[in-house]
Amino acid sequence: MTVERSKTRTIAGVPSDLSLDPVDWEGFRRQAHAMLDDILGYLENLRERPVWQPIPDEVRARFHGKVPAEPTELAAVHEEFMRFILPFAVGNAHPGFMGWVQGGGTPVGAMAEMLAAGLNANLGGRDQIPIEVERQVTGWMRAIFGFPESATGLFVTGTSMANFIAVVIARDVALGWERTDPDAPSFAARRRGLRGCQKKLTAYASTEVHGCIGKAMDMAGLGTDALRLIPAGKRHRIDLKELEKTIAQDRAAGLTPFFVVGTAGTVDTGAVDDLAGMADLCRREKLWFHVDGAYGSLAMLAPDLAPRLKGIEQADSLAFDFHKWGQVPYDAGFILVRDGELHRKAFASPAVYLRRETRGLAAGSPWPCDFGPDLSRSFRALKVWFTLKVYGTAAIGRTISRTCELARYLERRIAETPELELMAPVELNIVCFRYRAADSDRVNRQIAIYLQESGSAAPSTTILDGSVAIRAAIVNHRTSQVELDRLLAETLRAGRTLLRHGNQEFEA
Ligand SMILES: Cc1ncc(COP(=O)(O)O)c(C=O)c1O
């Protein structure tokens, strides 16, 4: 590993006037360029590295040191980063990474993040162009997803937070208004909470739904039991008949159905619920229709895949991430809400120190802090804005299509290999398979660990129909057939060795 060292002496030391700016800007500049070169070199040469490597005890131990009261040279801290942090990250930037659902990021996104950090904008509110950038991205999302002008959007950490925001808005709508101020009715639940609330709200999603929806129900005070999990039918999609039946039964039992979640790209298999069918049902039943499109919704950018998302344009709210299929560096989640006024009413709260004006810095209302729980907010919009402008949505769409083509390639190769078995239909970009063995669960768990620890590929595992499956989620724009061929070759090698050696653990 090469570490470019700055030739300067102390440059980050605290000068006598107590500003934290460098004493020697020239030296700082050289060191900063060396840091930039190092991270670009990392991205350029990713393929030569292991995808992931286990963290040696002595490296882990380094992170148990004392609070650093005294200064250290920037160059020395950077070297520490290069030697002890960079090599031991998860590796999701690497083309061989296929675990969970994680995006690879881009050099453009990294540069935008650097600019945002330099600007140090706080996007909670106030009259500033960074908020216009966020509004512009919101406008682009309205156009891409077919939402009306009245729709509002907000950057958040990720889809977990976006889903939570959707649950809160839908909950408040379902529990109704109170008219303490006749001109400005407000949501009753915002003042009273759920105390004395007669309605027992229930939400609906398929058994394939992401766990963060249950968490959102919990955090919204409704409880995870109030989330009804409807069996997924063929192709892991929600069974609409069962959904309708359960809603009817709940109503008959005196409960108040309020929220239905359709998933566009389930976390386990990439299945897409029948969003148009769900939208119809929600309209008939007067229920809030939310789409969790964490990774799948950006398939709208791929003309060959967009028709699969039909119905997404009818959602009351849509949660998704730019940091998955959008390849924007972490984190960049987003919530789009059809009725922006309901969105604002669920979160806006008056505070004297956040008073609005029509001129000056306090102009530009409503502010992003009126649409979510966060007041301090980073300039996430900038890396998305850069990514979409520099690459264009068509190129992002092509990388999305390509990950699905690669998944079909992997599916074909598995079908041709008698020792392997496909565990679920390949809907988008996720391939679940296993090595055939008598004690298949143990063997496949061991294979996944071997693949990760050897640094050759990094799939994750899941349980499908009660059995362990190796799961390759091809999200990264850098992944190619080379990495998939390596995944299969190493899987076979590990599987054969494990069968030969019986019950022993596989050592990479
Ligand atoms: C379908 C689905 N929903 C929600 C999430 C959570 O998203 P985040 O990790 O951005 O909070 C994920 C993550 O993979 C997901 O696949």
Side-chain angles (χ1 to χ4, degrees):
M1 182 187 336
T2 51
V3 178
E4 284 282 321
R5 282 164 197 273
S6 160
K7 306 235 173 354
T8 54
R9 293 183 301 107
T10 303
I11 50 178
V14 182
S16 54
D17 67 2
L18 282 185
S19 154
L20 296 178
D21 279 339
V23 182
D24 166 13
W25 275 101
E26 254 329 293
F28 185 87
R29 212 176 269 270
R30 276 196 301 279
Q31 174 58 29
H33 287 158
M35 290 165 78
L36 186 61
D37 276 346
D38 277 349
I39 202 67
L40 294 182
Y42 165 77
L43 291 175
E44 190 180 353
N45 302 310
L46 266 175
R47 284 178 174 75
E48 291 157 25
R49 294 177 158 273
V51 184
W52 178 78
Q53 51 187 322
I55 305 165
D57 290 344
E58 55 283 13
V59 171
R60 207 182 287 276
R62 297 184 67 89
F63 295 88
H64 295 273
K66 291 204 178 77
V67 176
E70 297 306 321
T72 310
E73 289 278 359
L74 175 58
V77 179
H78 173 52
E79 184 173 339
E80 212 177 331
F81 168 82
M82 292 303 290
R83 292 180 58 198
F84 304 117
I85 296 178
L86 180 138
F88 302 106
V90 153
N92 51 306
H94 194 289
F97 188 91
M98 301 159 205
W100 301 273
V101 179
Q102 300 204 19
T106 66
V108 167
M111 292 303 96
E113 194 70 320
M114 181 193 70
L115 298 180
L119 192 58
N120 193 26
N122 176 354
L123 271 77
R126 291 155 284 271
D127 199 18
Q128 52 172 324
I129 282 295
I131 289 179
E132 292 301 333
V133 173
E134 180 157 348
R135 289 183 182 134
Q136 178 168 46
V137 175
T138 299
W140 292 343
M141 294 308 116
R142 275 191 212 110
I144 287 168
F145 290 108
F147 272 50
E149 267 306 296
S150 56
T152 42
L154 188 77
F155 274 96
V156 289
T157 42
T159 294
S160 302
M161 178 54 91
N163 283 334
F164 172 58
I165 288 175
V167 169
V168 168
I169 305 169
R171 177 200 68 183
D172 289 357
V173 170
L175 294 181
W177 305 94
E178 66 179 6
R179 294 195 172 267
T180 39
D181 171 355
D183 295 329
S186 56
F187 285 128
R190 293 200 60 191
R191 269 190 53 214
R192 298 179 208 280
L194 302 180
R195 258 172 304 132
C197 174
Q198 299 303 312
K199 289 181 179 170
K200 298 272 177 284
L201 300 187
T202 46
Y204 303 82
S206 93
T207 45
E208 307 282 306
V209 74
H210 194 273
C212 66
I213 295 284
K215 253 194 202 176
M217 291 289 289
D218 166 12
M219 293 190 297
L222 302 171
T224 51
D225 283 356
L227 175 62
R228 302 281 192 261
L229 294 180
I230 309 297
K234 269 195 295 196
R235 296 175 54 200
H236 299 263
R237 304 166 99 197
I238 195 166
D239 182 331
L240 280 181
K241 286 213 169 66
E242 272 302 311
L243 172 61
E244 195 162 8
K245 201 168 95 193
T246 311
I247 291 169
Q249 282 167 352
D250 282 350
R251 286 202 205 280
L255 304 172
T256 305
F258 81 111
F259 189 73
V260 176
V261 184
T263 304
T266 58
V267 64
D268 266 340
T269 65
V272 180
D273 283 330
D274 173 0
L275 303 180
M278 295 180 88
D280 268 0
L281 191 149
C282 288
R283 203 174 310 110
R284 279 200 314 275
E285 298 279 346
K286 299 197 170 32
L287 300 175
W288 186 280
F289 177 39
H290 174 69
V291 174
D292 175 349
Y295 89 89
S297 60
L298 283 181
M300 280 306 268
L301 302 179
D304 57 326
L305 301 172
R308 307 244 202 123
L309 301 181
K310 195 166 167 348
I312 203 168
E313 72 290 348
Q314 297 178 56
D316 291 300
S317 50
L318 166 65
F320 65 98
D321 288 321
F322 290 101
H323 56 226
K324 294 189 165 88
W325 249 350
Q327 311 297 340
V328 171
Y330 282 82
D331 50 32
F334 200 79
I335 176 84
L336 196 58
V337 181
R338 173 173 299 279
D339 184 333
E341 199 41 26
L342 295 180
H343 186 184
R344 194 185 65 79
K345 283 205 147 75
F347 287 98
S349 48
V352 279
Y353 47 85
L354 294 176
R355 191 187 148 77
R356 313 300 156 86
E357 302 289 352
T358 52
R359 290 169 49 204
L361 260 174
S365 189
W367 291 349
C369 65
D370 299 326
F371 296 95
D374 294 320
L375 177 55
S376 293
R377 304 173 64 248
S378 72
F379 195 1
R380 293 188 183 99
L382 190 68
K383 56 194 171 185
V384 173
W385 187 82
F386 260 85
T387 301
L388 296 181
K389 278 178 91 83
V390 171
Y391 296 108
T393 53
I396 305 286
R398 279 195 298 277
T399 64
I400 289 172
S401 290
R402 200 159 58 90
T403 59
C404 295
E405 278 162 29
L406 286 169
R408 290 194 293 276
Y409 168 78
L410 185 58
E411 180 187 30
R412 277 197 305 279
R413 293 265 343 254
I414 290 165
E416 291 161 8
T417 311
E419 288 158 278
L420 302 177
E421 179 185 1
L422 202 66
M423 297 284 285
V426 174
E427 294 289 341
L428 293 170
N429 59 332
I430 298 181
V431 185
C432 293
F433 66 100
R434 68 179 170 187
Y435 187 86
R436 292 182 201 269
D439 55 348
S440 161
D441 285 2
R442 182 189 69 84
V443 166
N444 282 283
R445 239 186 242 117
Q446 286 283 308
I447 291 174
I449 293 171
Y450 160 74
L451 292 168
Q452 294 164 3
E453 290 187 342
S454 67
S456 53
S460 50
T461 59
T462 191
I463 307 277
L464 288 179
D465 302 324
S467 301
V468 171
I470 298 174
R471 180 172 157 287
I474 306 161
V475 185
N476 193 324
H477 60 101
R478 300 183 177 101
T479 304
S480 68
Q481 283 190 9
V482 173
E483 285 76 30
L484 301 183
D485 291 344
R486 189 177 304 132
L487 168 75
L488 291 186
E490 290 298 309
T491 298
L492 292 173
R493 200 168 83 81
R496 287 168 191 157
T497 310
L498 277 166
L499 290 201
R500 245 196 332 271
H501 295 295
N503 250 351
Q504 280 171 17
E505 302 264 303
F506 195 97
E507 291 294 327

